[in-house]
């Protein structure tokens, strides 16, 4: 017997959840200083969801009315056979938007296939245009390779490409205008993200290196006229966007500290281990892997677990850079 589920997920604060970020791996070929510790322990492979399990989770969410899935990680494009998963997801009836966040390292060879398989939009991280600095911030990254990946994505004609930059005081804040100009030249968007206290790091002091979106906006405004684009309700997610120089490039600011956007939250995350995280800044979660691997598994049981989890989605996060983080999981584990 199958259960009838409404095609809509609503939490107890009456927010509709229609967007899921799926982390397909916690592994990565970079070790960005704000995202990971240098010496990381990754999840044992047997604990990571198989591609079939990820597909099952995605199908359950779509049947519950989720229209947008973002693949992330870790670096999603280093997961073995990721293209076969993307091909399956690209054909899911009811899924309007399949998008991906990547560090760009594999895009030179993969951008064309991603586009062909139905990925509509892509976010690519880029924190510096100086090769040595880029290497320091990512610990292993090669800037030329990433820029070639960005250009391959432009060539592949995604509907939208957005660069993501995390700016740290004293490290790369002097490159904000260069990064904006890089995006302008290529007619792509760029978003500046405030660093979040996810995971314990000792490479820098997150409170001391914090750069608020407002500081960055003022730096950009010295050279460019920024015009706000619409109200946040009509925009995608937490980024507040501005147009610039009447061109197609949009400048976004994602400001979890200086501009709380929790009341608009429409998303949940699934970690590579199959933990359904209801909030980036809280530990409330449901173990979907346990459901997937239990005897007598059925899609309805998975859907019921997801519906039940809506009752524990927290109202908001309480990030505080001056406190020892309550959230010990790193961003790569979280599925940023
Ligand atoms: N590896 C891919 C990438 O770098 O784009 C996808 C995963 S990564 C965790 C997703 C985004 O989270 C990246 O844009 C990265 O800059 C951002 N990020 C990682 N750690 C962060 C932190 N502690 N605070 C804010 N943003 C962070
Ligand atoms: Fe890897 Fe992305 Fe984290 Fe950098 S931000 S370490 S590229 S997962």
């Amino acid at each position: 017997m199958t259960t009838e589920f409404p095609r809509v997920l609503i939490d107890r604060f009456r927010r509709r959840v229609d967007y899921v970020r799926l982390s397909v791996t916690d592994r990565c070929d970079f070790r960005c200083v704000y995202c990971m510790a240098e010496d990381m322990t990754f999840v044992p492979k047997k604990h990571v969801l198989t591609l079939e399990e990820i597909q099952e989770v995605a199908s359950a969410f779509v049947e519950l009315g989720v229209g947008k899935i973002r693949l992330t990680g870790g670096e999603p494009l280093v997961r073995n056979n990721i293209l076969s998963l993307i091909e399956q997801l690209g054909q899911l009836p009811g899924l309007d938007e399949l998008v991906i966040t990547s560090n760009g390292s594999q895009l030179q060879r993969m951008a064309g296939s991603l586009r062909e398989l139905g990925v509509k939009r892509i976010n690519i991280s880029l924190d510096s245009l100086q090769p040595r600095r880029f290497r320091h911030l990512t610990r292993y990254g090669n800037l030329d390779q990433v820029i070639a990946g960005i250009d391959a994505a432009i060539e592949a004609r995604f509907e939208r490409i957005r660069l993501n930059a995390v700016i740290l005081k004293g490290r790369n804040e002097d490159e904000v205008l260069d990064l904006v100009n890089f995006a302008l030249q290529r007619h792509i968007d760029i978003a500046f993200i405030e660093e979040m206290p996810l995971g314990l790091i000792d490479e820098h002091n997150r409170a001391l290196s914090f750069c608020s979106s407002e500081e960055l906006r003022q730096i950009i405004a010295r050279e460019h006229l920024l015009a706000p684009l619409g109200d946040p309700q009509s925009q995608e997610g937490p980024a507040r966007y501005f147009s610039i120089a009447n061109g197609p490039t949009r400048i976004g600011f994602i400001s979890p500290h200086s501009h709380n956007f929790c009341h608009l939250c429409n998303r949940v995350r699934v970690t590579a281990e199959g933990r359904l995280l209801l909030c980036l800044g809280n530990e409330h979660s449901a173990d979907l892997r346990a459901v997937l691997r239990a005897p007598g598994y059925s899609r309805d049981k998975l859907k019921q677990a997801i519906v039940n989890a809506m009752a524990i989605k927290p109202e908001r996060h309480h990030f505080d850079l001056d406190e020892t983080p309550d959230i010990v999981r790193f961003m790569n584990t979280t599925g940023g």
Side-chain angles (χ1 to χ4, degrees), residues 160 162 184 188-191 217 225-253 259 264:
R160 227 189 84 203
R162 186 183 88 189
L184 277 174
I188 58 180
D189 294 344
I190 182 163
R217 204 185 57 74
L225 191 64
L226 291 171
L229 281 169
D231 73 295
Q233 296 273 6
S234 63
Q235 302 199 11
E236 302 133 54
R240 284 174 301 150
Y241 282 105
F242 293 77
S243 70
I244 188 164
N246 290 326
T249 293
R250 300 185 308 165
I251 311 287
F253 297 97
H259 176 83
L264 298 175

Side-chain angles (χ1 to χ4, degrees), residues 21 23 25 27-30 32-36 70-77 100-104 123-127 162-166 168 191 193-199 201 204 206 254 256-257 280 329-336:
R21 299 167 82 110
S23 172
T25 178
R27 289 164 169 76
C28 186
D29 48 349
F30 294 1
C32 300
V33 295
Y34 46 78
C35 176
M36 293 197 192
R70 177 175 300 280
L71 299 180
T72 180
E75 173 48 36
L77 299 182
I100 194 162
T101 301
S102 167
N103 65 20
N123 290 351
I124 308 170
S125 298
L126 182 70
D127 302 324
R162 186 183 88 189
L163 303 177
N164 279 343
V166 177
L168 308 181
I193 308 174
E194 288 177 351
E195 183 180 8
M196 289 173 257
L198 295 176
I201 53 163
H204 60 278
R206 294 198 202 259
I254 301 178
H257 300 280
L280 189 59
R329 67 183 139 76
F330 288 93
M331 191 62 139
N332 71 304
T333 325
T334 306

